[in-house]
Structure formats: structure tokens, C-alpha cells
């Protein structure tokens, strides 16, 4: 198994929950994140990677949700 180091985590919750599957695909294709969890029941998506990878994934899926799916997207927080 490949050893990996992740310094950041991205957590997204969406409604309808099935959208998490689409956004999980976008997050993988837009950056080098590792997909840790996609829960199509709760709509939760969790991925890890470097700070820049996680930020790239979050921006890509936020853009897609807002501009392609016409979802209302809330402000992202960073701690």
C-alpha cells in the first residue's frame, strides 16, 4: 500500500444527497485529493490532501454546483 501524507481535510454536505456522488467525481478529477468518504444517504463528502489540493477541489465543486447545477452555495470556511 502507498503511504500518503495529508495536511488538510475537506468536508462538504449537500442536498439532495445524491449530489455528493457527482461532487466526489469532480473533486478527484480537479485535484490530487484522496476521497475518504461519499455518503449518498446524508450527502456528506470527505476528502484529504495538501492544503492546495483540498482548496482546488473545494473551488471546483463549488463552481460546478453554483454554475452548472444552479445550487445556492454558502461561503466556505477555513480553520
Amino acid at each position: 500500500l502507498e503511504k500518503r501524507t495529508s495536511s488538510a481535510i475537506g468536508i462538504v454536505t449537500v442536498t439532495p444527497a445524491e449530489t455528493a456522488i457527482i461532487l466526489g467525481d469532480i473533486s478527484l478529477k480537479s485535484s490530487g485529493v484522496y476521497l475518504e468518504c461519499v455518503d449518498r444517504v446524508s450527502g456528506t463528502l470527505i476528502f484529504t490532501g495538501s492544503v492546495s489540493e483540498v482548496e482546488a477541489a473545494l473551488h471546483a465543486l463549488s463552481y460546478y454546483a453554483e454554475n452548472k447545477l444552479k445550487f445556492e452555495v454558502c461561503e466556505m470556511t477555513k480553520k
Side-chain angles (χ1 to χ4, degrees):
L1 293 171
E2 176 186 334
K3 185 176 179 175
R4 59 184 182 173
T5 303
S6 298
S7 56
I9 183 170
I11 304 170
V12 177
T13 303
V14 293
T15 303
E18 297 82 5
T19 310
I21 298 167
I22 297 167
L23 298 183
D25 182 53
I26 291 168
S27 67
L28 288 173
K29 291 176 180 174
S30 66
S31 66
V33 294
Y34 295 96
L35 194 56
E36 303 293 345
C37 173
V38 176
D39 187 340
R40 64 179 180 81
V41 176
S42 69
T44 302
L45 171 66
I46 301 173
F47 47 87
T48 60
S50 68
V51 173
S52 61
E53 290 169 335
V54 169
E55 285 180 342
L58 287 169
H59 287 291
L61 62 86
S62 176
Y63 177 86
Y64 186 86
E66 187 171 18
N67 295 291
K68 300 294 182 179
L69 299 177
K70 304 299 182 196
F71 284 7
E72 187 169 330
V73 177
C74 65
E75 181 181 348
M76 286 188 261
T77 59
K78 181 178 175 181
K79 297 276 178 173

